[in-house]
Amino acid sequence: MKFDWKGVFPAVTTKFTENEDLDLEAFDININAQLEAGVDGVILGGSLGEASVLTEDEKFTLLKHTLKLVDKKIPVILNIAEQSTHKAVEIAKKAYEFGADGLMLLPPMRYSADENEIIVYLTTIAESTPLPIMIYNNPVDYKIEITLDMFERLKAYENIQAIKESTRDIINTTRLINRFGDRFKIFTGVDPIATESLIMGAHGWVAGLVDAFPKETVAIYRLVKAGRFEEAIAIHRWFLPVLELDIHPKLVQYIKLAEVATGIGTEKVRAPRLPLTGAEREKVLKIINSALAVRPELPEGSWGRLNKVVAN
């Protein structure tokens, strides 16, 4: 199974009602905004999707609902973040049965596995499914790094096709390209350094603030890939204070607050997370509202499903 691993893939938030049930109506508003902006894929149940507090049934409800909503316009990727290899394999098989287009895999959760354990975990899942796989490499938040030597072992598996590069080391994009050429499609996974990573050759962007600012995110990606760096950098500089909300422990609450400000989301989170209050909430709102007050006009063709940026 194949699709193009390139472009902007939102790591979408999960919407909840006041009673902490899934709010599919609010979810649809955001997904439709992403489609209008011209995103290239969507990732469900990641860190921003509050995977740790979703039940298995809820994850598959979101998967089936999203597949129906996007109607094959873009690939739908399901994140797998499990404690046991057995459960991860089970979810991978169900995702395939329900029609997912691909998977994003984290290393084992809640266990500081060694190199061989990580490789066996990831390859066991890869062997269990024909679905294309993106490996999520985020040692900052999840304390396990998948090194270049480990990717050397993983490259033997044809369906391991992409990397979400979230080491926060901008040089790692070049290291991966130098070592593996085009074998893995590299997606920048850290919003504040995404523009730099794209300029240095990353194929795509697993984005967070796209959940609130889909058009601006798509515009940066398309302008960079068209070689229109000055225009992309100008948007990035405006966007940076907001993009930095993506690297805070409360990124879910921060990004959901931004979604409310732009009219395409809700602020509801599931406990143990709590909504922002007091000075912290005001600080985040000031960052968001300051950006909205000088929101830039985007170049023609830099966003939208049918638009294409013309290179210089």
Side-chain angles (χ1 to χ4, degrees):
M1 300 179 66
K2 293 184 179 180
F3 57 85
D4 286 336
W5 286 103
K6 65 180 182 180
V8 175
F9 282 46
V12 296
T13 57
T14 302
K15 308 299 188 289
F16 298 109
T17 67
E18 291 284 354
N19 296 324
E20 296 193 9
D21 297 322
L22 294 180
D23 187 344
L24 296 178
E25 183 177 344
F27 181 81
D28 289 358
I29 291 170
N30 191 273
I31 296 296
N32 283 324
Q34 304 300 326
L35 292 172
E36 179 189 9
V39 301
D40 302 280
V42 65
I43 298 175
L44 305 174
S47 306
L48 264 176
E50 298 179 66
S52 62
V53 294
L54 294 178
T55 67
E56 186 176 324
D57 285 345
E58 286 173 330
K59 291 176 185 177
F60 287 120
T61 294
L62 284 171
L63 174 62
K64 289 183 282 187
H65 180 83
T66 306
L67 286 165
K68 183 177 180 181
L69 180 63
V70 306
D71 192 26
K72 303 186 185 301
K73 294 182 181 72
I74 56 173
V76 178
I77 313 301
L78 183 67
N79 181 59
I80 292 181
E82 300 300 325
Q83 298 180 57
S84 74
T85 305
H86 175 79
K87 176 55 70 173
V89 166
E90 182 182 303
I91 289 178
K93 289 180 176 179
K94 285 185 179 179
Y96 175 66
E97 292 171 8
F98 289 136
D101 296 294
L103 303 171
M104 185 169 75
L105 302 186
L106 278 160
M109 303 298 290
R110 299 187 186 178
Y111 174 62
S112 185
D114 67 22
E115 178 175 329
N116 195 55
E117 289 172 324
I118 296 163
I119 295 294
V120 171
Y121 175 84
L122 296 173
T123 57
T124 299
I125 300 168
E127 289 170 349
S128 76
T129 179
L131 289 174
I133 291 171
M134 169 185 281
I135 302 296
Y136 184 3
N137 190 19
N138 186 348
V140 175
D141 292 320
Y142 295 111
K143 312 309 176 188
I144 289 177
E145 181 173 5
I146 304 172
T147 65
L148 269 68
D149 287 343
M150 293 165 74
F151 280 117
E152 187 71 44
R153 297 173 65 183
L154 293 172
K155 76 177 185 181
Y157 294 81
E158 184 179 355
N159 61 333
I160 297 180
Q161 298 174 1
I163 300 167
K164 181 182 177 185
E165 164 50 37
S166 295
T167 62
R168 304 192 191 180
D169 181 354
I170 190 68
I171 302 171
N172 217 37
T173 298
T174 300
R175 292 191 187 108
L176 287 164
I177 293 170
N178 284 349
R179 179 98 172 239
F180 301 109
D182 205 39
R183 169 59 185 85
F184 297 110
K185 301 301 181 184
I186 302 164
F187 277 62
T188 176
V190 183
D191 278 2
I193 59 171
T195 302
E196 291 91 337
S197 299
L198 292 168
I199 290 171
M200 293 308 298
H203 303 86
W205 181 357
V206 176
L209 268 302
V210 67
D211 291 339
F213 294 89
K215 294 175 183 176
E216 288 84 356
T217 307
V218 170
I220 289 174
Y221 172 81
R222 291 186 183 177
L223 290 165
V224 168
K225 293 306 176 183
R228 292 165 59 173
F229 300 129
E230 289 187 7
E231 292 168 282
I233 290 168
I235 300 170
H236 167 81
R237 286 176 176 158
W238 159 81
F239 209 179
L240 182 60
V242 179
L243 293 175
E244 289 182 321
L245 300 177
D246 181 60
I247 55 172
H248 191 277
K250 290 188 180 179
L251 77 164
V252 174
Q253 291 97 318
Y254 288 6
I255 291 174
K256 283 192 167 184
L257 191 58
E259 288 180 326
V260 173
T262 58
I264 55 173
T266 70
E267 203 176 339
K268 308 303 178 188
V269 290
R270 180 173 278 178
R273 286 183 178 87
L274 296 174
L276 300 176
T277 59
E280 183 181 23
R281 189 173 191 276
E282 292 307 311
K283 179 181 177 180
V284 176
L285 275 175
K286 183 177 180 180
I287 293 169
I288 297 164
N289 289 331
S290 294
L292 286 173
V294 290
R295 197 171 189 174
E297 183 175 344
L298 302 175
E300 183 178 354
S302 63
W303 62 271
R305 291 230 46 84
L306 301 178
N307 291 333
K308 184 178 181 180
V309 170
V310 177
N312 286 335

